[in-house]
């Protein structure tokens, strides 16, 4: 089995799109987190072992950025290891991770509106990141 690595030229073309996608998803989710209380959503969750409290807007930005960068790093690693198959393998994994990410959001003890907002942020991040990473991935 032979694998090829991503050329430096390909990596140079990919990073602006990927960074822009991570930044866009981060800003979009921070806005959702900031606007949700203004529409009457309490955004109060009760994590196990903690007192109930509102989800801070910074948490939306932080976690979106962290998982966006993690997805980017995973794609870069997949491109090195899997070559031209990286795009399809990464995209499949990203969809599975998206579906699994719904589980914690549905178990935080918030009301239905809060859980809907939390779930929507996962979908928004995926809707921005997955197509951008797909377009910039090897074999594109």
């Amino acid at each position: 089995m032979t694998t090829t690595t991503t050329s430096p030229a390909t990596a140079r073309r990919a990073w602006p799109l990927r960074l822009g996608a991570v930044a866009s998803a981060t800003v979009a989710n921070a806005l959702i987190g900031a606007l949700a209380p203004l529409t009457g959503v309490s955004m109060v969750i009760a994590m196990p072992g903690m007192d109930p409290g509102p989800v801070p807007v910074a948490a939306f930005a932080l976690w979106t950025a962290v998982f966006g960068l993690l997805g980017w790093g995973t794609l870069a690693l997949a491109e090195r290891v899997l070559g031209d198959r990286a795009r399809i393998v990464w995209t499949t994994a990203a969809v599975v991770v998206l579906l699994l990410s719904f589980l914690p959001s549905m178990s935080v003890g918030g009301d239905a509106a809060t859980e809907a907002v939390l779930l929507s942020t996962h979908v928004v991040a995926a809707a921005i990141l997955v197509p951008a990473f797909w377009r910039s991935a090897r074999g594109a």
Side-chain angles (χ1 to χ4, degrees):
M1 176 174 124
T2 61
T3 59
T4 56
T5 60
T6 304
S7 72
T10 302
R12 278 193 299 274
R13 286 191 306 268
W15 80 264
L17 178 61
R18 293 177 186 178
L19 180 61
V22 172
S24 296
T26 300
V27 169
N29 278 344
L31 283 173
I32 291 170
L35 294 175
L38 299 177
T39 63
V41 179
S42 71
M43 295 309 295
V44 172
I45 61 172
M47 299 291 290
M50 296 177 67
D51 292 332
V55 180
V57 173
F60 288 96
L62 174 69
W63 291 113
T64 303
V66 165
F67 282 99
L69 293 172
L70 190 64
W72 180 355
T74 304
L75 177 56
L77 179 63
E79 288 172 326
R80 287 197 174 272
V81 174
L82 301 173
D84 291 331
R85 294 178 308 208
R87 181 167 66 171
I88 192 69
V89 170
W90 180 87
T91 303
T92 302
V95 170
V96 169
V97 168
L98 169 64
L99 296 174
L100 291 173
S101 77
F102 291 160
L103 297 175
S105 294
M106 293 186 303
S107 65
V108 293
D111 60 21
T114 298
E115 289 184 7
V117 169
L118 293 174
L119 293 175
S120 72
T121 61
H122 294 231
V123 174
V124 166
I128 295 169
L129 295 170
V130 172
F133 287 6
W134 170 270
R135 281 191 306 275
S136 69
R138 178 160 209 188

